[in-house]
Amino acid sequence: MRVIGGTAKSTPLVSLKGARVRPTRDRVRESLSNQSAGEIAGARLLGLFAGSGAIGIEALSRGAAEVVFVELNSKAQAIIYQNLAKCRFLDSESEEKKSKNWILLKSNALHALKVLAERDHQFDFVYVDPPYADELYEETLIALARSRLLAESAQVIAEHHHKTVLQENYDKLSLTKTRKIGDTCLSFYGF
């Protein structure tokens, strides 16, 4: 796994190991980057269920204005810090010396949505990638749709197994397109 483009291009990233871990593959991230080419620079991205942080780090590398990583697993949080340091988005190994354009929220996704809304955050892109077996898509996408976190032209991208069928609508979010890459599917939602 590596950064596909931007200032940290070709930097190898560390990922978690284990049966329940499914890092977003390079091919999927490359396809995502092609789908949103030119739109990431200056954008604000929220990565729910951030895992290794690869999606958010790719966005930072391509010039995103702000990235918020949301991850509950403490081992994954350590990996995110490690990857940020490798890509030079972290001033040092110390958590106190963070770059000003990213935040790591050590929380579950639903709680993080409430916290971010209280802080008046808004996002242009939201990447939703829960563990496939946990079936968290519906509650997460509905909570996101009902929040004040989405900018007017925001895109919500859900990564899921190609056999998992997501709904056409989650509250006010509507499916705009779907891209299949191997066993993985990216479903794009907007208003």
Side-chain angles (χ1 to χ4, degrees):
M1 191 168 67
R2 62 186 170 80
V3 178
I4 304 299
T7 60
K9 183 178 181 175
S10 299
T11 303
L13 299 174
V14 179
S15 66
L16 283 165
K17 306 289 185 240
R20 289 182 42 93
V21 177
R22 180 195 34 79
T24 301
R25 294 177 304 183
D26 290 356
R27 262 182 39 182
V28 175
R29 284 185 291 110
E30 189 168 10
S31 178
L32 177 62
S33 295
N34 291 340
Q35 296 296 314
S36 53
E39 298 175 30
I40 294 294
R44 301 157 297 176
L45 179 127
L46 171 60
L48 296 174
F49 312 95
S52 68
I55 295 295
I57 288 169
E58 188 74 42
L60 288 170
S61 181
R62 292 173 184 262
E66 177 187 23
V67 172
V68 176
F69 301 90
V70 175
E71 181 55 59
L72 184 60
N73 182 304
S74 61
K75 290 179 183 175
Q77 294 163 8
I79 296 285
I80 291 170
Y81 284 126
Q82 187 177 353
N83 284 332
L84 286 163
K86 287 181 80 167
C87 294
R88 299 193 174 150
F89 296 124
L90 180 63
D91 295 334
S92 75
E93 298 288 334
S94 170
E95 291 182 24
E96 288 79 39
K97 296 184 178 178
K98 298 176 188 169
S99 172
K100 294 189 186 316
N101 64 336
W102 63 266
I103 300 167
L104 171 57
L105 286 180
K106 301 172 181 181
S107 167
N108 70 47
L110 296 179
H111 182 259
L113 294 178
K114 292 175 187 170
V115 168
L116 291 166
E118 289 169 3
R119 296 179 185 174
D120 293 322
H121 280 266
Q122 276 209 319
F123 298 96
D124 304 298
F125 293 93
V126 178
Y127 199 80
V128 180
D129 184 17
Y132 288 174
D134 291 354
E135 298 182 20
L136 297 170
Y137 292 100
E138 184 167 357
E139 67 181 327
T140 303
L141 291 169
I142 288 173
L144 189 57
R146 293 178 179 169
S147 74
R148 301 181 317 261
L149 295 172
L150 301 175
E152 190 174 309
S153 60
Q155 279 191 14
V156 176
I157 303 110
E159 179 181 330
H160 55 97
H161 190 270
H162 71 95
K163 291 183 180 177
T164 301
V165 179
L166 298 185
Q167 296 177 28
E168 294 280 325
N169 297 294
Y170 290 97
D171 201 83
K172 60 187 175 187
L173 285 176
S174 296
L175 184 67
T176 58
K177 63 183 171 182
T178 302
R179 295 289 179 262
K180 184 177 177 287
I181 308 105
D183 289 349
T184 302
C185 203
L186 298 176
S187 292
F188 294 76
Y189 289 87
F191 296 117

